[in-house]
Amino acid sequence: MEIIEAKNYDEMSQKAAQLILTKVKQTPSLVLGLATGRTPVGTYLHLVKDYQEHQTSYRHVHTVNLDEYVGLGKENPTSYHTYMKEHLFNHIDIPNHQTHLPNGMATDLQGECQIYDELIENLGGIDLQILGIGVNGHIGFNEPGTSFSSTTNVVELTPSTRGKNACYFNNLSEVPSDAVTMGISTIMKSKQIVLLVSGMQKAHILYKLLSEPINEQIPASILKQHDNVIIIADNEALAVIRHNGSAAKTPR
Ligand code: GLP
């Protein structure tokens, strides 16, 4: 597990975008796993800026997103489908049919989960997965307690996650109670994973991830078992690690 330190959010975003661009140039048919939330917004901004200036092409890239809310249609302004279009897909040359997110409107949600895992398999697996982390250590929407062997599944969101995400909705009651998320074992099959961590509010969980043993109460702790993970963290996110000394040097 490599840790790349960034001065601030923008530098973290630039470094992440640079890493993605290098991969896309090396492998034009890259299968790129994407995340939503506040954290990757700056990364997408840098990718769009690069596209405007250098036209790096995504014509052969496939993207697979981590998750989608249950009950929100593609056109719903608060769906992750809309988020991805607004932050990235509308501004680069990726064909729409090569961008994939779980369908939160599927009548058979269990079937949808299976279809999503099969889709990823048929694409040959994820080459590079971008991840954020929840303050409780969740990745995708895999909340604490989720089995490490989980495949894509339907999850009930914790009150803490619904509360955190309420800012994207008019009020808390509008935040869906469930989501479809790529499972932990699905994420772990990715060939490379880049975890982005920014801000004071993530400093404690980043410290816990690195200093505590791998356990299902900290879903992101499983990443220590993967042999190709890069964490890009900014100074604020590294604050507790620095304060407590050497945790970052003994990640397992
Ligand atoms: C959300 C998403 C995750 C994201 C995380 C952190 O609920 N499902 O994929 O990584 O929580 O979000 P943020 O980047 O806004 O802190």
Side-chain angles (χ1 to χ4, degrees), residues 28 34 101-103 120 122 148 234:
L34 296 175
L101 289 95
N103 175 12
I120 294 169
N122 292 338
F148 284 151
D234 66 14

Side-chain angles (χ1 to χ4, degrees), residues 34-41 66-69 80 83 130-135 138-143 157 161-162 164-165 167-168 179 181 195-196 198 201-202:
L34 296 175
T36 50
R38 187 194 64 89
T39 309
V41 169
L66 284 168
D67 42 26
E68 179 58 285
Y69 290 109
Y80 285 158
Y83 170 107
I130 306 300
L131 289 182
I133 185 170
V135 285
H138 74 229
I139 48 176
F141 267 132
N142 296 288
E143 300 282 20
L157 303 177
T161 297
R162 290 187 70 234
K164 285 285 298 172
N165 290 2
C167 56
Y168 300 106
T181 181
L195 173 67
L196 304 178
S198 167
Q201 75 280 17
K202 301 287 173 70

Side-chain angles (χ1 to χ4, degrees), residues 4 19 25-26 30 60 77 87 101 117-118 125 132 146 179 220 237 250:
I4 298 178
L19 209 142
K25 286 174 194 164
Q26 271 169 3
L30 194 76
H60 302 291
H87 290 291
L101 289 95
D117 278 327
E118 282 166 11
T146 305
T250 53

